[in-house]
Amino acid sequence: MAAHRCGLSLVFILILSSLACPSSCDALEKANENTGEKQSVSDTPREVNTDGSIAAEDLNERQWQSTDVEADRSDGTKDSESFTAAARDQFQEELVIRPLHSGDIYASFQFRTLWDTDFLQERQKVSHYRLFPKSLGQVLSKFSVRELHISFTQGFWRTMQWGQPFIPSPPGAELWVWFHDTVSDVDGNWKELTNVLSGIFCASLNFIDLTNTVQPSASFKPLGLGNATDHRFLRYATLPREIVCTENLTPWKKLLPCGSKAGLSVLLKSEKLFHSSFHSQAVHIRPVCQDEQCTSKAWELRQTLNVVFDLYTSGQGKKEWSLFKMFSRTLTEACPLATSSKVYVDITDNPEGELFELSPATPLLSQAVVLGDRRTYSVFDLTRAEMFGQLRSLNLLLRWKGDTLTTQSDMLRPLLHAERYVAGFGLQTGEIHTVIYNNHPYRAFPVLLMDSVPWYLQLYIHTLTVTSKSRDNKPSYIHYQPAKDRHRPHLLEMLIQLPPHSMTEVTVQFERALLKWTEYTPDPNHGFYVGSSVVSALVPSMVAMNTNFTQDQPLFSSFVPVKEESSYFVRVYTEPLLVNLPTPDFSMPYNVICLTCTVVAVGYGSFYNLLTRTFQVDEPSLPLAKRLANLIRRIRGVPLLA
Amino acid sequence: MSHDFLQMHLKAVISCLLIFLYKVHTTKAGQFFSSGHTNNWAVLVCTSRFWFNYRHVANTLSVYRSVKRLGIPDSHIVLMLADDMACNYRNPKPATVFSHKNMELNVYGDDVEVDYRGYEVTVENFLRVLTGRLPPSTPRSKRLLSDDRSNILIYLTGHGGNGFLKFQDSEEISNMELADAFEQMWQKRRYNELLFIIDTCQGASMYERFYSPNLMALASSQVGEDSLSHQPDLAIGVHLMDKYTFYLLEFLEEVHPASQANMNDLFKVCPQSQCVSTPGHRTDLFQRDPGSVLITDFFGSVRKVEITKDTINLTSPVEPPIQRSGSGDIQIESLTYVDQLPVAEIIHQKPKQKDWHPPDGFILGLWTLILLVFFQTYGIKHLKHIF
């Protein structure tokens, strides 16, 4: 289909400006000769092409393209595609750019590989891999994984300044896995899986063991298909201290079908990505519906990367952004293996271009309901050659106008927001405060708070209080699993109803435990981390959510399945905590003093004791019964027993 | 008698045949194995934590850069970095580690795979990697899978003293432990030849206890000497590299896969005028003449290429068998997504089944029975010596 599109645009461009066809066009045509059967698909995008030509004549006129229409169209193509059985896997890539009111910019990459195969079938081993990475496929089948979510994050997502991210993640590393219910030794599988993943992603995931793994009873329901929700097959762990750097990005990029060679992934240069306020990369694997009827499963691998560039450190304080400024690269082509490759720019707050200016202008607009809000996006379809213009490269430019950023001190007021801190003084006791805000003016909604606290903070669960509007708010469900020293962490889950426009505070006191001296980290004075608490909520939606969960929505709006129109599911992570534990002085002078004192106390002390002590023969004492009897006899004035 | 003669004759014939076969083989295969090794491995360790030890991470990464450039793949390099300098919050240019002033050479690169990092870099893990005694679930990238045909490069850097090297500022490895680990490697046939390089204060003390064969060792300084850092960078705010490794890197940057530089050139890499300390080396355990050992025997990778002139027809890629299973209509009812926050379901969850406990009345009754039986049997009169 690319060939037809290319050909048409070739004719068109020749007429208009007598330019030569881009060289990438040739390459695409050649590639298409090999896959002849794909041409049956090529009829549909012609309409789009005429859109393009009109657009070229009148760039200012905008055309509305709703995602629904697009979905219908691609349905047709999907059916015809499904007959050619070769293409049983497909790849999509997407970049969403959301200018933030603080002047920062949020870029979210999503890469999705869909494959209708079954890793868990015992009969046949899956051995032929095309787009799906083999390293992950083998892991899925070996450990009978039903669903796997792993994220590596550096920095903390500031909900008050940036709003909600598309897919949230806590600082550090987070891993949660649903195993298939045929697994007998879940803990053994989990241990091995973490070791294997630590090799794949070059991360210290092998530090995940029983002391930081929990089995949430109500949080973290499976995001993919399936109705088994027995939490014995769920494992959840976070490593809040995990560092994220190029060595994690490199293997992550290698999982992509195009690597970092073509398509959107050429933008992923570590020097820029890590020079940011927030960086998060994740891999989500789950079974999803193959088609709209949802009669059979397909495996979905979703690789996401979210990054927020800071106005001052990356943007030098100038209120203008471009792809080149953000990533030090521009886009030149779509990934040849991708069925769709799109860039979306969020222009909801900027319908007439009063806030910022976007160039090159695109005639295609798209609307999507995401996170309870209807957003408008400018769409750049990279599979169309004319997107890249004469320079054969696309460098989106986004320039804020005038002093529109003066209001940057204003905080956003997201409907749901949570924060957490440690209170108290000294090194013996303390108190964890978790504050959850409901900023909805008139609707109450339920949230599920999950806390996993390491065993060395001994929670006093009787001090647990939940107050909202200075009144006691009794949770309707509490699940508490106490810790066992050196074996498992505390797990606290609570279902709390948040009153409208309120602040709910959850406090619990704890005592710090003394560790054995080998259990301290090499830098114990840095403190010990407690992972983020997780707030899962059903937030009332401003607009009707799209419950029709199909694959043809843009990727960013189709991650969490929506069950009802009136509310949407969202997960909010709080800050991780850094707690100081009583730490012995590990320095050399201290140890020397300790050692000398011990020698003096034991050696000299016992010797001196021996010399000065006098020894006497002790009289044998009466048995206990007789002594008791004597006690009573003494009171009665009767002669005592001998 | 004749039987014996016949046997001897037969033996002679067989041995003649064997010698002939052996000669044919040595002429062909000996050429192939002239360097004595068939694969290369590298274990590169930085043992220091904290930002002011930036230079140790840069040291290790510069050796990593060189061996990777000369052809050892990431799968054959075990890289251990005790702290994260590249994405440290103090680093003004994240995702970079520079070896030269003015941010000239980024030794971290855009394609790095760190196998052991942070708290994982411990003496125990280091010795386990060397001796191969790792838990069975350890991934391949974290193992040293060498054999008796492997040339191994081991590079260590950190803070040390006479006879020890500190790991993470909290534990240390002694020179005797290291020597024993190498002996264990030798006995387990884990190397053919081993090149040991250490850049630390009093580095020569670390190799003086070695006793296993085929070891060559280099150190940045003699016993009683400090190894010094090379140059500070004002923008980054710390010293970028140590002197010895800096000149080692300068030397290795000139080496290319086909170069004929040998170990004698490596010994002269940092004369005392540049290093201030006196670099040392030890070759008495090594079998070959250092002048005949190429740098690329340890820093490069063996690539034996056989060129063929035959035409090979590649068949078309394998088409996976089409398996449109007809199970679609069977499963229709079962596939749905799960509610993410089923409030009603959570609230009305069945309370957890408690362990069975006998009712309180039963226990009370039991105690009454016991007391009753006791007093029936002994009566109150037996307690008279008390009352």
Side-chain angles (χ1 to χ4, degrees):
Chain A
M1 70 193 205
H4 272 241
R5 211 184 289 158
C6 250
L8 273 174
S9 64
L10 176 81
V11 171
F12 175 68
I13 291 169
L14 268 175
I15 291 165
L16 267 189
S17 56
S18 67
L19 270 174
C21 177
S23 62
S24 62
C25 184
D26 294 353
L28 279 175
E29 233 158 356
K30 267 180 213 155
N32 218 347
E33 280 168 15
N34 298 336
T35 56
E37 69 257 35
K38 277 206 167 183
Q39 295 203 344
S40 61
V41 190
S42 61
D43 289 348
T44 36
R46 277 189 189 161
E47 287 176 34
V48 182
N49 222 316
T50 50
D51 291 354
S53 56
I54 294 165
E57 284 164 19
D58 187 7
L59 274 174
N60 298 329
E61 190 192 329
R62 291 187 165 186
Q63 294 203 349
W64 283 85
Q65 183 203 15
S66 86
T67 43
D68 298 342
V69 178
E70 199 180 37
D72 289 343
R73 241 186 252 157
S74 46
D75 272 349
T77 66
K78 254 198 79 63
D79 284 348
S80 62
E81 218 169 50
S82 64
F83 288 115
T84 62
R88 290 175 63 227
D89 48 358
Q90 51 156 320
F91 173 67
Q92 287 170 277
E93 53 179 10
E94 189 180 285
L95 164 64
V96 187
I97 294 173
R98 190 204 285 172
L100 301 167
H101 277 275
S102 55
D104 305 339
I105 195 154
Y106 170 36
S108 169
F109 291 86
Q110 293 214 13
F111 302 91
R112 181 168 79 164
T113 312
L114 267 180
W115 190 15
D116 24 332
T117 188
D118 198 355
F119 294 112
L120 303 176
Q121 268 175 2
E122 296 289 324
R123 296 178 272 117
Q124 62 215 35
K125 266 185 106 175
V126 181
S127 55
H128 184 75
Y129 289 80
R130 214 172 72 98
L131 298 177
F132 202 92
K134 191 176 180 182
S135 56
L136 285 180
Q138 287 178 331
V139 167
L140 293 184
S141 53
K142 180 167 185 208
F143 298 106
S144 305
V145 173
R146 209 175 79 181
E147 202 167 291
L148 185 148
H149 302 267
I150 185 168
S151 73
F152 299 98
T153 307
Q154 183 154 42
F156 178 68
W157 182 270
R158 304 187 182 283
T159 317
M160 291 294 270
Q161 286 171 29
W162 302 334
Q164 291 289 350
F166 291 117
I167 298 177
S169 57
E174 183 198 42
L175 173 67
W176 56 285
V177 175
W178 275 92
F179 288 96
H180 212 259
D181 42 15
T182 51
V183 180
S184 52
D185 179 18
V186 181
D187 282 324
N189 267 20
W190 168 250
K191 184 71 204 152
E192 270 190 52
L193 176 68
T194 52
N195 272 321
V196 168
L197 290 176
S198 87
I200 293 178
F201 292 105
C202 283
S204 316
L205 294 173
N206 46 325
F207 282 129
I208 292 179
D209 53 11
L210 291 180
T211 60
N212 48 23
T213 303
V214 290
Q215 303 172 35
S217 67
S219 309
F220 295 100
K221 296 283 177 201
L223 278 166
L225 286 176
N227 36 23
T229 57
D230 184 352
H231 67 269
R232 282 180 299 145
F233 298 102
L234 168 65
R235 292 291 180 280
Y236 173 86
T238 52
L239 294 174
R241 201 173 177 188
E242 187 65 14
I243 42 178
V244 185
C245 208
T246 311
E247 64 253 30
N248 304 110
L249 185 67
T250 309
W252 186 90
K253 278 195 290 195
K254 284 180 184 167
L255 298 176
L256 295 170
C258 283
S260 49
K261 302 288 189 294
L264 292 173
S265 50
V266 296
L267 300 178
L268 304 174
K269 290 287 163 203
S270 59
E271 280 177 39
K272 287 291 182 180
L273 290 182
F274 291 102
H275 201 181
S276 56
S277 312
F278 177 84
H279 170 95
S280 167
Q281 60 187 68
V283 170
H284 304 274
I285 304 173
R286 57 174 178 166
V288 294
C289 291
Q290 212 171 73
D291 41 35
E292 275 192 68
Q293 286 81 43
C294 206
T295 50
S296 52
K297 274 191 225 175
W299 280 86
E300 182 197 71
L301 164 71
R302 212 183 262 254
Q303 287 180 256
T304 63
L305 190 141
N306 294 301
V307 60
V308 176
F309 292 104
D310 188 83
L311 171 65
Y312 295 100
T313 60
S314 314
Q316 286 107 39
K318 290 179 193 156
K319 294 160 197 165
E320 61 177 69
W321 292 100
S322 66
L323 285 186
F324 187 78
K325 196 171 174 185
M326 286 188 271
F327 303 106
S328 72
R329 291 286 184 288
T330 55
L331 288 169
T332 53
E333 56 173 338
C335 169
L337 297 170
T339 49
S340 96
S341 174
K342 285 178 180 160
V343 179
Y344 293 86
V345 182
D346 191 334
I347 53 162
T348 315
D349 309 325
N350 186 36
E352 302 299 323
E354 61 265 40
L355 278 179
F356 55 82
E357 186 185 318
L358 182 66
S359 71
T362 172
L364 287 183
L365 295 176
S366 157
Q367 276 204 338
V369 178
V370 55
L371 295 167
D373 200 3
R374 189 180 297 280
R375 314 287 296 180
T376 313
Y377 295 91
S378 287
V379 188
F380 298 83
D381 189 349
L382 300 184
T383 49
R384 294 160 60 186
E386 74 265 17
M387 261 307 150
F388 299 108
Q390 293 176 19
L391 294 169
R392 284 193 226 133
S393 84
L394 175 68
N395 183 22
L396 287 177
L397 201 69
L398 202 146
R399 193 180 289 116
W400 287 84
K401 284 184 178 167
D403 294 331
T404 44
L405 287 184
T406 45
T407 54
Q408 59 174 276
S409 57
D410 290 355
M411 291 283 174
L412 289 175
R413 293 185 70 79
L415 291 185
L416 174 67
H417 172 59
E419 54 192 41
R420 190 159 71 137
Y421 56 90
V422 180
F425 55 88
L427 284 176
Q428 197 185 359
T429 56
E431 195 169 38
I432 297 179
H433 288 246
T434 311
V435 190
I436 311 169
Y437 297 90
N438 173 4
N439 287 328
H440 201 285
Y442 53 87
R443 285 279 301 272
F445 57 85
V447 297
L448 185 66
L449 175 72
M450 193 198 94
D451 243 327
S452 162
V453 180
W455 62 267
Y456 41 78
L457 299 188
Q458 296 160 344
L459 292 187
Y460 292 156
I461 202 69
H462 69 278
T463 61
L464 178 75
T465 58
V466 185
T467 47
S468 20
K469 293 185 167 172
S470 66
R471 216 174 301 148
D472 202 30
N473 184 351
K474 193 169 175 293
S476 40
Y477 168 76
I478 292 190
H479 171 78
Y480 174 64
Q481 189 188 40
K484 280 184 189 159
D485 279 6
R486 300 180 178 82
H487 285 293
R488 71 172 190 211
H490 302 268
L491 171 67
L492 179 61
E493 284 181 284
M494 284 184 288
L495 188 72
I496 308 169
Q497 185 78 9
L498 300 184
H501 198 72
S502 70
M503 183 190 100
T504 305
E505 192 167 19
V506 180
T507 62
V508 63
Q509 289 177 12
F510 65 86
E511 189 178 304
R512 296 159 161 99
L514 274 173
L515 300 185
K516 292 178 182 163
W517 72 276
T518 48
E519 286 169 345
Y520 286 97
T521 53
D523 51 349
N525 292 307
H526 181 85
F528 291 78
Y529 283 85
V530 180
S532 312
S533 45
V534 189
V535 180
S536 318
L538 281 175
V539 180
S541 171
M542 298 291 183
V543 293
M545 294 295 290
N546 188 1
T547 52
N548 185 12
F549 190 62
T550 58
Q551 293 163 11
D552 303 304
Q553 297 166 344
L555 295 183
F556 59 86
S557 67
S558 66
F559 184 61
V560 182
V562 180
K563 281 272 180 178
E564 47 186 314
E565 285 190 345
S566 59
S567 62
Y568 64 100
F569 178 78
V570 74
R571 201 166 269 154
V572 175
Y573 292 92
T574 65
E575 299 90 338
L577 299 177
L578 183 59
V579 181
N580 273 318
L581 290 188
T583 307
D585 189 344
F586 288 108
S587 61
M588 195 189 69
Y590 175 81
N591 285 318
V592 170
I593 292 167
C594 280
L595 207 70
T596 344
C597 289
T598 315
V599 169
V600 167
V602 174
Y604 171 77
S606 51
F607 191 63
Y608 180 78
N609 196 348
L610 264 176
L611 285 179
T612 53
R613 179 168 290 208
T614 55
F615 292 93
Q616 288 177 348
V617 181
D618 194 18
E619 281 180 23
S621 64
L622 293 171
L624 183 73
K626 280 197 175 172
R627 270 194 283 168
L628 276 176
N630 276 349
L631 208 71
I632 297 164
R633 277 165 175 264
R634 190 173 288 142
I635 295 165
R636 291 170 61 203
V638 185
L640 301 183
L641 296 170
Chain B
M1 194 75 172
S2 67
H3 185 76
D4 274 5
F5 174 76
L6 199 75
Q7 218 173 23
M8 272 176 68
H9 192 75
L10 209 77
K11 266 186 188 168
V13 168
I14 287 173
S15 57
C16 269
L17 215 86
L18 279 176
I19 288 167
F20 175 72
L21 277 176
Y22 176 73
K23 272 191 178 162
V24 169
H25 265 275
T26 41
T27 44
K28 275 194 171 175
Q31 220 174 353
F32 189 75
F33 290 118
S34 64
S35 61
H37 69 286
T38 57
N39 56 75
N40 280 82
W41 287 82
V43 182
L44 314 173
V45 190
C46 157
T47 66
S48 304
R49 198 171 188 87
F50 305 120
W51 170 246
F52 51 83
N53 292 320
Y54 183 95
R55 59 182 188 278
H56 293 150
V57 173
N59 284 347
T60 315
L61 284 170
S62 66
V63 178
Y64 171 78
R65 170 194 160 86
S66 303
V67 297
K68 208 168 159 183
R69 188 176 57 82
L70 291 171
I72 304 185
D74 261 323
S75 56
H76 282 210
I77 303 175
V78 181
L79 180 61
M80 304 172 110
L81 297 180
D83 204 354
D84 165 49
M85 295 303 161
C87 291
N88 198 300
Y89 292 110
R90 289 186 178 91
N91 194 341
K93 239 178 119 45
T96 57
V97 173
F98 291 102
S99 64
H100 286 57
K101 248 200 218 170
N102 304 326
M103 305 191 174
E104 272 165 16
L105 181 62
N106 177 13
V107 287
Y108 193 62
D110 204 25
D111 183 31
V112 59
E113 287 185 13
V114 186
D115 301 305
Y116 287 82
R117 56 180 197 168
Y119 296 147
E120 286 176 276
V121 183
T122 57
V123 175
E124 184 188 337
N125 277 351
F126 174 60
L127 292 180
R128 281 182 184 280
V129 167
L130 289 187
T131 55
R133 294 166 180 262
L134 286 157
S137 57
T138 312
R140 286 179 78 86
S141 63
K142 291 187 164 188
R143 289 169 181 269
L144 180 70
L145 296 165
S146 57
D147 54 25
D148 59 345
R149 288 269 150 224
S150 310
N151 272 14
I152 304 181
L153 166 73
I154 292 179
Y155 177 85
L156 292 174
T157 181
H159 291 284
N162 192 349
F164 68 90
L165 174 71
K166 282 207 293 183
F167 268 68
Q168 302 252 10
D169 230 15
S170 69
E171 53 179 351
E172 54 276 316
I173 186 171
S174 72
N175 50 4
M176 201 61 223
E177 283 170 324
L178 199 61
D180 288 342
F182 288 152
E183 175 62 17
Q184 203 181 119
M185 285 174 77
W186 173 250
Q187 290 187 3
K188 290 170 103 175
R189 293 169 168 270
R190 284 174 68 76
Y191 69 85
N192 171 50
E193 286 170 337
L194 196 147
L195 177 66
F196 175 82
I197 303 179
I198 186 161
D199 186 345
T200 173
C201 296
Q202 320 205 29
S205 66
M206 285 306 284
Y207 63 61
E208 61 189 17
R209 296 286 181 91
F210 288 176
Y211 56 96
S212 315
N214 288 356
L215 283 175
M216 194 188 307
L218 286 92
S220 60
S221 55
Q222 296 297 330
V223 179
E225 280 181 344
D226 285 344
S227 288
L228 300 171
S229 54
H230 183 252
Q231 53 181 2
D233 183 276
L234 290 179
I236 298 172
V238 283
H239 287 265
L240 295 184
M241 270 184 102
D242 283 322
K243 279 189 198 299
Y244 180 75
T245 312
F246 181 82
Y247 291 107
L248 180 70
L249 173 66
E250 300 263 280
F251 169 74
L252 288 174
E253 287 288 290
E254 303 296 318
V255 176
H256 52 90
S259 78
Q260 293 297 309
N262 61 41
M263 284 296 155
N264 282 333
D265 301 324
L266 188 67
F267 297 154
K268 289 180 285 197
V269 86
C270 187
Q272 206 192 353
S273 54
Q274 285 177 317
C275 249
V276 183
S277 62
T278 328
H281 56 86
R282 183 176 171 188
T283 54
D284 57 324
L285 297 167
F286 206 73
Q287 312 285 329
R288 292 193 280 158
D289 172 36
S292 68
V293 182
L294 297 180
I295 297 291
T296 49
D297 279 0
F298 288 100
F299 287 88
S301 185
V302 192
R303 268 174 284 186
K304 297 273 188 256
V305 180
E306 200 177 323
I307 296 168
T308 176
K309 286 177 183 168
D310 302 339
T311 319
I312 295 171
N313 280 324
L314 294 175
T315 50
S316 58
V318 194
E319 287 292 328
I322 298 164
Q323 26 174 330
R324 282 271 153 201
S325 55
S327 60
D329 34 22
I330 305 166
Q331 295 187 331
I332 284 176
E333 68 289 342
S334 61
L335 296 179
T336 44
Y337 289 96
V338 179
D339 211 345
Q340 288 300 306
L341 191 63
V343 177
E345 198 183 296
I346 293 171
I347 294 173
H348 300 118
Q349 254 179 26
K350 271 188 192 165
K352 226 174 149 188
Q353 293 233 320
K354 283 177 189 159
D355 299 332
W356 184 82
H357 192 262
D360 293 345
F362 175 75
I363 294 169
L364 209 72
L366 200 71
W367 273 110
T368 324
L369 198 76
I370 291 169
L371 288 177
L372 218 73
V373 170
F374 181 83
F375 284 110
Q376 274 297 311
T377 324
Y378 297 105
I380 199 95
K381 59 184 183 232
H382 284 277
L383 298 171
K384 76 171 181 198
H385 68 276
I386 294 176
F387 302 107

